[in-house]
Structure formats: C-alpha cells, structure tokens
Amino acid sequence: MPELLAFRAVDTYYGDLHVLKAVDYRIDAGEIVCLLGGNASGKSTTMKAIMGVVLPVRGEVLFEGQSLHGVSIAERVRRGIAPVLEARRLFPRMSVYENLEMGAYTRGRGPEFEEDLQRVFSLFPRVEERLKQLAGTLSGGEQQMVAIARALMARPKLLCMDEPSMGLSPVFVEQVFDIIQTINKQGTTIFMVEQNANMALQIAHRAYVLQTGEVVLSGPAAELRENEMIREAYLGEIKVA
Ligand SMILES: Nc1ncnc2c1ncn2[C@@H]1O[C@H](COP(=O)(O)OP(=O)(O)O)[C@@H](O)[C@H]1O
Ligand SMILES: [Mg+2]
C-alpha cells in the first residue's frame, strides 16, 4: 500500500520542553494504526504535529509524499487530513445538524453534502435522531459520535483520533471501535491514540509505542499483543514471579 503519512526524524518543543525526539512514523493508505504510550509521552503532540498545531523544529511531516512544512491547518484539512475533535470542542450551542455542516465547511456545501449526510446517518442512526438537538445537551457518548460524524463530513483520507474512547461507558466504547472499523473498511485510513490498548490492538493493523517522546516499539498489532512489555504496561497484566 502507498504511504499516506510519514514523520521523518521529527523533533518538537514547547518552549524548552523537548517532547517528540527524532520520531519516525509511517502510515499506509488503508491502515488502522494505533499510538500507545504513557501519560505525557507525546501522543497528543503527535496529533497536533499532523494537523500543524505544533510544528517540527527538526525533521518533517509528509502527506502523500509531500512535505507539510508551511502548510496551514485549513489546507491540511482540504488535502484530506481530519481530526476528530474532542467532544467538548463541538459547538455546544449549535444543533447536531449545524455541527455536521461545519464539518463539511472546507469542501463547500456541494451536491455531495446530502450523500455524506446519508453515509453518516447509516453509521450513526442516533445522530440522525438527534439532528435538531443542541450539541451541548447530548450525553458524552453521543457527543463523541457527533465528533466522529463531523470529521467524516470532510471526506478525509486520514482520520486522526486522540483517545476516541475516553470517558465513554463500555457500551459506547464498543460501538466506537466498531464504527472505526467500519469507517476503515469503507476506505478511510486511521491513526489513533488510545489508552484502551486492549481494544485498540484488536482493531489496529499496526501500532507504535511512545515513551517520553521516543518510539520504543512498533509492529503488527497481533505481535504487540503478545509482547511482554506491552502486556505489562498496557494490557493490565501483572507479572507473576
Ligand atoms: N501547550 C503546551 N505547552 C507546554 N507544554 C505542553 C503543552 N502541551 C503539552 N505539553 C507537555 O508536553 C508533554 C507531552 O504532552 P502530550 O503530547 O499531551 O502527552 P500525551 O498525550 O502523551 O499524554 C507533557 O509533558 C505536557 O505537559
Ligand atoms: Mg493526550
């Protein structure tokens, strides 16, 4: 499969704080790739570097083989990179429908708008039921669904998700993972940060593990599920001596 996104020796800083250290990632078209790592290891920073919210000081981020150096956030979205916003960053005083319209904004409201709406409704029947409701009055799980639906309205090639299951009840977590898999099967590449390593490694093709800003492990998800370090650190297994 062709390479869709790549990090080549990327270093990022917040002031003096060196966060990502010579990080390399490669995400191929069609994959679900999961990013695991402890608190403050640089997972969200990775997502920010893809969108251009954080810029590399050294190294570069490439999309479809082209450097994103100097490319604005809006232009990245136009080229096909879409972030799933945290649920609390939806527009709370706008209806669900209006939030979906905002998702399609970068493409303009062409004839595909209705088509995309129908696709989103088939993935999220509950979103269709709540179209007129103000986003801020939805439950956490429903807001997460709207956040994903909103990102899909931009018809992304690459969907970037920062902890899509965070704060959701187990039923919603399972639904979200099912939907991620369906979206992927429909052709969208997915790069996601997840704390829920167990679930994430079941749907991901490959994964990377970040530790204090460095990639310490990567490989097929099935292999990482068997890895001792992963099992202890992320799959909640306690080693019995
Ligand atoms: N805007 C910011 N300004 C300064 N430091 C930040 C900022 N955002 C994150 N950090 C710091 O960068 C490190 C990595 O953060 P982050 O990428 O959010 O970690 P993760 O998502 O893996 O928990 C942390 O130490 C965090 O405190
Ligand atoms: Mg984070």
Side-chain angles (χ1 to χ4, degrees):
M1 276 299 202
E3 171 187 293
L4 189 62
L5 178 84
F7 275 47
R8 301 250 168 88
V10 168
D11 282 88
T12 70
Y13 291 79
Y14 297 108
D16 290 338
L17 182 66
H18 192 179
V19 177
L20 298 183
K21 297 164 188 158
V23 165
D24 290 307
Y25 304 115
R26 174 190 168 134
I27 315 289
D28 287 344
E31 286 192 299
I32 299 179
V33 177
C34 174
L35 181 58
L36 303 174
N39 268 330
S41 57
K43 304 181 302 297
S44 294
T45 300
T46 292
M47 294 295 148
K48 288 175 188 160
I50 296 170
M51 293 320 301
V53 176
V54 166
L55 300 172
V57 168
R58 286 181 294 276
E60 59 180 350
V61 178
L62 296 103
F63 187 66
E64 297 185 308
Q66 289 190 306
S67 171
L68 291 177
H69 183 81
V71 176
S72 70
I73 298 173
E75 178 58 21
R76 292 175 198 224
V77 175
R78 267 193 296 275
R79 290 190 190 178
I81 310 175
V84 173
L85 300 179
E86 290 162 60
R88 60 184 169 79
R89 287 180 52 201
L90 292 170
F91 298 98
R93 289 166 181 282
M94 285 190 182
S95 68
V96 168
Y97 184 81
E98 287 163 336
N99 271 279
L100 295 178
E101 280 185 319
M102 295 302 287
Y105 166 78
T106 50
R107 289 192 302 113
R109 222 192 118 145
E112 301 100 23
F113 180 77
E114 281 301 322
E115 210 176 288
D116 292 346
L117 265 187
Q118 292 309 318
R119 174 182 175 219
V120 158
F121 293 162
S122 67
L123 286 168
F124 304 98
R126 196 187 296 233
V127 168
E128 183 170 17
E129 287 164 21
R130 302 296 167 106
L131 274 186
K132 293 194 179 117
Q133 193 170 330
L134 296 185
T137 67
L138 297 170
S139 76
E142 289 165 349
Q143 290 192 21
Q144 184 59 21
M145 302 281 181
V146 173
I148 298 171
R150 179 185 177 285
L152 288 177
M153 293 300 290
R155 282 201 188 186
K157 293 174 185 162
L158 177 69
L159 197 58
C160 298
M161 311 176 99
D162 194 349
E163 306 202 28
S165 77
M166 190 162 66
L168 300 186
S169 63
V171 176
F172 268 117
V173 170
E174 230 164 275
Q175 283 183 29
V176 164
F177 279 98
D178 278 351
I179 285 164
I180 292 170
Q181 234 173 350
T182 305
I183 293 168
N184 175 252
K185 287 190 176 127
Q186 292 177 350
T188 306
T189 305
I190 291 170
F191 192 21
M192 64 171 175
V193 170
E194 246 315 315
Q195 292 283 359
N196 194 334
N198 215 347
M199 301 275 291
L201 289 177
Q202 283 175 39
I203 68 163
H205 301 107
R206 287 190 305 116
Y208 288 91
V209 180
L210 263 188
Q211 229 168 51
T212 55
E214 292 179 87
V215 174
V216 292
L217 198 61
S218 66
E223 270 174 34
L224 294 196
R225 279 203 302 270
E226 303 304 321
N227 181 286
E228 190 111 343
M229 187 272 265
I230 298 281
R231 294 172 80 97
E232 283 177 36
Y234 303 108
L235 301 180
E237 292 183 17
I238 295 159
K239 197 170 181 182
V240 180

